[in-house]
Amino acid sequence: ELERAGGGVRTRGCLRTSSLQLGWQGQSRHPTSFLSLRRPGLGYHPGCRHQCTPQALSLCNYFESQNVDFQGKKVIELGAGTGIVGILAALQGGDVTITDLPLALEQIQLNVQANVPAGGRAQVRALSWGINQHVFPGDYDLVLGADIVYLEPTFPLLLGTLQHLCGTHGTIYLASKMREEHGTESFFQQLLPQHFQLELAQRDEDENVNIYRARHREPRPA
């Protein structure tokens, strides 16, 4: 079942594009019929419906529906998994760094090679929150994450990483399943607002997925 949405054709959450359709900012999209994604032990599969989490799909669909502008922006994705969110940002003109733990990098690199045309700006690097975030610059325009808030011991590490990576005027987008048993709500209701202006950008009741947008708090006048 195909459903038209924006400039593309979505197959229940998986975005198809063609070279004749217009991108979000009125630019021609890359001529990719489907993103071809790989997960360990599964090989390559066209499309993303069975390879990606609902959080990643929700975030990609949100970017399309809101016409989020990636053109020329400095972007980093955290805990990338398949890398679909960062790949989409690169296809829309972003200068993207896709990160995860070292174990996941090979599959992400293969997905980038399979989906980002020559000339696209997408690099894959290892990032361990709370350990090596300071080897990355602290001026990203957009910091993205899907399904990365679910282990409470990592929350302070993630918070510190977000504080470092997000530029002064940057924006963070996080898509999370609101798992009560994992304390996800406490991260968004208690920890993140201590350092960022936070707003709920979208909620998917069916999937229990929230998308949050965060920006650095304005410094108080002296």
Side-chain angles (χ1 to χ4, degrees), residues 122-176:
Q123 61 173 317
V124 178
R125 296 179 60 185
L127 196 168
S128 298
W129 309 337
I131 297 176
N132 70 329
Q133 69 268 23
H134 293 289
V135 305
F136 292 79
D139 60 350
Y140 286 96
D141 300 307
L142 294 165
V143 182
L144 315 177
D147 194 27
I148 63 173
V149 182
Y150 57 86
L151 291 175
E152 285 195 73
T154 69
F155 290 177
L157 307 177
L158 174 57
L159 180 61
T161 300
L162 293 171
Q163 287 180 271
H164 171 71
L165 295 175
C166 185
T168 304
H169 301 291
T171 302
I172 298 167
Y173 289 99
L174 298 176
S176 290

Side-chain angles (χ1 to χ4, degrees), residues 3 22 104 141 216:
E3 171 184 305
L22 295 179
D141 300 307
H216 281 292

Side-chain angles (χ1 to χ4, degrees), residues 67-82:
N67 292 325
V68 173
D69 183 11
F70 290 100
Q71 188 67 44
K73 299 293 178 63
K74 191 172 182 178
V75 183
I76 188 167
E77 182 185 5
L78 306 181
T82 62

